């Protein structure tokens, strides 16, 4: 069966949605043109994954106002677990459904010109700045039907702006909490670090719709200008009823750095693209991702770093654990463009399967259009190493505990890179819940 992909929205709906948010003309026009494009564009075509029967276009989009949060004590315990107990609750954004429910930024950062706010406030109060970056040079509106649909119906997100030479020591944290079980999320995250600046940004996506079907269509655009550094951490934890499309892209200029640490823990079917463009000389990027698949879910993850500048450095690390009848495709693509001399591209993709019916596929791909470069890749798909199990069990551990240690050690190179301790702990707990 093929799911109907004709869009259930028209221009009148889009115009009313934009008008209700007092959006500037450029945003209303972008939404309108995106809807025009959407019907004629193709769906994404992830390698070795058939998505014709996945629901990406039939969903509830109407805006539902959620209560704001006066105190973090109001949050359920599950959400409190994402915060370090000893940490200040500054530099925190919580989005409840599509409502900006809580937003705090340290006064000294405000005084330096840092912006950390919901995407709608940013579009209205910093219109020219957002327009400069929004779906222009990272993610294109017409990339495919889902990016056009995102541009037309975007209904949440956050904007981060760090001025020239501003160094932010403490992480900025965003929680996207889908409390409404049938409401779709078309979230847009835009992070801009000007020349010589640095920022660490960490986000969490949480939902509870185990049976109710809905959609998450997420776009992230990250821009690191000359000599800027961005560390981007994320834990995606959508429930089984959510079909998810994620498109995260970064653009790094001269001497800039963009590092990704992604915990991809969704229980529903998922397509994820994480692509970084190293445009400037001496720019570099690490893209690290971990996933646990279970049940009958299908996942397709692509990490790609394209190197245009000279002496750029790229490293892709993917780790996956599969159980039940889950299927996961990992694509690691390193491409050194013509002119990218003295550059290096490395990648490593490994999948651990815990059941006979689970399937994993690791595809390292190197595309080299320049001679004077270095590159390498490694990939493996297999079961838990019996020698490791024998060694641990010979030291007195039971089989389940020995397997648990092997799995956590296998995933640790990515989990350890999540910048906030409480989020690392929460990711570890999610892994435990999904594996055992």
């Amino acid at each position: 069966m093929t799911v109907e992909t004709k869009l259930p929205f028209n221009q009148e709906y889009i115009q009313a949605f934009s008008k209700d948010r007092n959006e500037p003309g450029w945003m209303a026009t972008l939404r309108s043109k995106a809807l025009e494009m959407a019907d004629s564009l193709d769906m994404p075509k992830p390698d070795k994954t058939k998505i014709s029967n996945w629901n990406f276009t039939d969903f509830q989009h109407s805006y539902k106002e959620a209560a704001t949060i006066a105190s973090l004590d109001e949050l359920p315990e599950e959400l409190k677990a994402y915060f370090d107990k000893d940490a200040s609750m500054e530099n925190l954004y919580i989005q409840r459904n599509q409502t900006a429910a809580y937003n705090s930024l340290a006064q000294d950062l405000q005084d330096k010109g840092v912006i950390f706010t919901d995407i709608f406030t940013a579009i209205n109060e910093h219109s020219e700045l957002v327009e400069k970056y929004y779906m222009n040079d990272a993610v294109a509106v017409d990339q495919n039907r889902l990016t056009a649909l995102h541009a037309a119906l975007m209904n949440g997100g956050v904007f981060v702006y760090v001025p020239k030479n501003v160094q932010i020591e403490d992480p900025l944290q965003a929680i996207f909490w889908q409390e409404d079980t049938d409401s779709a999320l078309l979230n847009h995250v835009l992070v801009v670090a000007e020349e010589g600046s640095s920022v660490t940004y960490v986000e969490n996506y949480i939902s509870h719709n185990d049976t109710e079907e809905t959609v998450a269509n997420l776009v992230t655009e990250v821009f690191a200008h000359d000599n800027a550094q961005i560390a981007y951490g994320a834990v995606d934890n959508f429930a089984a009823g959510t079909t998810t499309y994620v498109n995260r892209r970064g653009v790094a200029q001269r001497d800039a750095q963009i590092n990704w640490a992604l915990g991809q823990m969704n229980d529903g079917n998922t397509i994820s693209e994480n692509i970084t463009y190293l445009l400037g000389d001496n720019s570099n990027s690490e893209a690290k991702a971990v996933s646990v698949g279970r049940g009958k879910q299908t996942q397709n993850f692509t990490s790609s770093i394209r190197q245009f500048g000279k002496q750029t450095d790229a490293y892709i690390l993917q780790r996956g654990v599969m159980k039940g009848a889950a299927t996961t495709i990992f694509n690691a693509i390193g491409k050194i463009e013509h002119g990218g001399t003295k550059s290096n591209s490395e990648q490593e993709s490994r999948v651990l399967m815990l059941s006979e019916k689970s399937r994993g596929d690791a595809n390292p791909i190197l595309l080299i259009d320049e001679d004077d470069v270095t590159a390498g890749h490694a990939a493996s798909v297999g079961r838990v190493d019996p020698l490791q199990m024998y060694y641990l069990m010979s030291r007195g551990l039971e089989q389940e505990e020995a397997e648990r240690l092997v799995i956590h050690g296998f995933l640790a190179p990515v989990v350890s890179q999540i910048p906030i301790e409480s989020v690392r702990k929460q990711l570890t707990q999610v892994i435990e819940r999904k594996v055992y």
Side-chain angles (χ1 to χ4, degrees):
M1 179 186 75
T2 300
V3 171
E4 176 62 49
T5 57
K6 186 173 179 61
L7 305 179
F9 308 99
N10 56 30
Q11 288 291 348
E12 289 74 21
Y13 179 88
I14 295 297
Q15 291 166 12
F17 186 82
S18 182
K19 185 177 180 180
D20 286 346
R21 280 144 195 81
N22 298 312
E23 292 178 346
W26 69 265
M27 188 64 188
T29 300
L30 184 148
R31 286 186 184 275
S32 179
K33 289 182 177 179
L35 188 67
E36 288 179 10
M37 295 178 190
D39 265 330
S40 62
L41 291 170
D42 291 333
M43 292 290 286
K45 294 181 173 61
D47 184 47
K48 301 180 182 178
T49 302
K50 185 178 180 180
I51 65 169
S52 58
N53 62 343
W54 292 20
N55 172 36
F56 281 114
T57 56
D58 183 13
F59 52 79
Q60 178 69 37
H61 180 262
S62 60
Y63 184 85
K64 297 181 181 180
E65 189 76 26
T68 58
I69 299 167
S71 167
L72 297 182
D73 292 334
E74 300 175 15
L75 294 173
E77 291 300 320
E78 179 186 7
L79 266 67
K80 290 179 183 177
Y82 284 93
F83 311 126
D84 291 337
K85 292 181 180 179
D86 298 330
S88 138
M89 289 298 98
E90 293 181 320
N91 309 332
L92 174 64
Y93 173 76
I94 300 176
Q95 180 174 297
R96 191 174 191 172
N97 298 325
Q98 292 85 38
T99 299
Y102 185 94
N103 195 187
S104 174
L105 179 65
Q107 187 60 51
D108 66 314
L109 295 181
Q110 296 182 48
D111 295 341
K112 293 176 181 177
V114 174
I115 303 169
F116 181 41
T117 189
D118 71 276
I119 193 71
F120 293 114
T121 297
I123 288 170
N124 280 284
E125 296 184 1
H126 311 281
S127 179
E128 292 184 4
L129 187 57
V130 176
E131 183 183 10
K132 178 180 178 180
Y133 295 100
Y134 191 91
M135 300 196 81
N136 285 318
D137 298 325
V139 178
V141 172
D142 62 356
Q143 180 185 331
N144 57 54
R145 181 173 295 188
L146 296 185
T147 55
L149 186 61
H150 174 95
L153 294 169
M154 184 275 292
N155 63 4
V158 70
F159 177 60
V160 177
Y161 176 78
V162 187
K164 182 177 179 180
N165 294 329
V166 173
Q167 311 288 319
I168 300 181
E169 300 297 332
D170 296 326
L172 307 182
Q173 185 175 7
I175 305 285
F176 300 107
W177 174 24
Q178 283 302 95
E179 188 180 29
D180 187 342
T181 57
D182 64 357
S183 182
L185 179 63
L186 291 92
N187 218 52
H188 199 100
V189 175
L190 181 56
V191 180
V192 179
E194 294 284 11
E195 180 181 350
S197 67
S198 67
V199 62
T200 296
Y201 168 84
V202 181
E203 66 187 12
N204 304 88
Y205 285 96
I206 306 161
S207 76
H208 305 284
N209 54 311
D210 292 326
T211 56
E212 300 89 344
E213 292 190 4
T214 190
V215 172
N217 182 329
L218 315 178
V219 170
T220 289
E221 301 182 286
V222 173
F223 296 89
H225 288 276
D226 291 356
N227 202 35
Q229 297 185 350
I230 298 175
Y232 193 110
V235 178
D236 304 340
N237 192 16
F238 286 104
T242 301
T243 301
T244 304
Y245 172 71
V246 189
N247 191 331
R248 292 183 171 111
R249 300 204 176 198
V251 179
Q253 303 294 341
R254 179 178 53 82
D255 296 314
Q257 178 183 78
I258 299 176
N259 287 339
W260 308 87
L262 308 177
Q264 298 166 135
M265 297 291 135
N266 299 332
D267 279 333
N269 292 338
T270 300
I271 303 172
S272 175
E273 302 177 66
N274 178 211
I275 300 174
T276 306
Y277 302 98
L278 300 182
L279 301 185
D281 295 349
N282 300 303
S283 57
N284 67 89
S285 178
E286 292 185 355
K288 298 182 178 181
V290 62
S291 177
V292 176
R294 66 175 178 175
K296 296 181 179 180
Q297 73 176 137
T298 299
Q299 303 177 99
N300 187 295
F301 301 117
T302 296
S303 296
S304 176
I305 302 178
R306 296 184 61 181
Q307 298 166 252
F308 295 85
K310 297 179 176 61
Q311 294 181 307
T312 60
D313 196 20
Y315 178 55
I316 297 173
L317 175 65
Q318 299 172 318
R319 295 285 172 96
V321 174
M322 302 297 111
K323 65 176 294 188
T327 299
T328 298
I329 308 293
F330 281 109
N331 298 308
I333 305 172
K335 189 171 195 305
I336 301 178
E337 304 286 350
H338 180 66
T341 58
K342 306 294 184 182
S343 293
N344 177 61
S345 178
E346 303 286 340
Q347 52 192 246
E348 179 183 338
S349 302
R350 302 195 185 278
V351 181
L352 194 61
M353 295 185 294
L354 303 182
S355 64
E356 293 295 330
K357 293 184 178 180
S358 61
R359 292 290 180 268
D361 195 353
N363 304 307
I365 301 169
L366 284 171
L367 305 171
I368 311 297
D369 288 340
E370 186 58 62
D371 294 329
D372 188 12
V373 299
T374 58
H377 61 76
S380 67
V381 177
R383 310 288 176 188
V384 174
D385 188 342
L387 291 178
Q388 290 180 327
M389 292 292 291
Y390 174 80
Y391 175 82
L392 292 171
M393 292 174 68
S394 71
R395 295 299 186 270
L397 295 180
E398 297 293 333
Q399 180 175 345
E400 182 175 311
E401 182 60 25
E403 186 176 78
R404 177 181 280 108
L405 285 176
V406 170
I407 291 169
H408 282 294
F410 177 76
L411 300 177
V414 178
V415 175
S416 63
Q417 297 302 304
I418 299 294
I420 297 176
E421 182 182 0
S422 58
V423 179
R424 285 197 303 273
K425 290 179 179 178
Q426 189 68 12
L427 176 55
T428 301
Q429 291 174 13
V430 172
I431 292 169
E432 285 275 333
R433 175 177 57 81
K434 295 193 70 171
V435 173
Y436 297 103

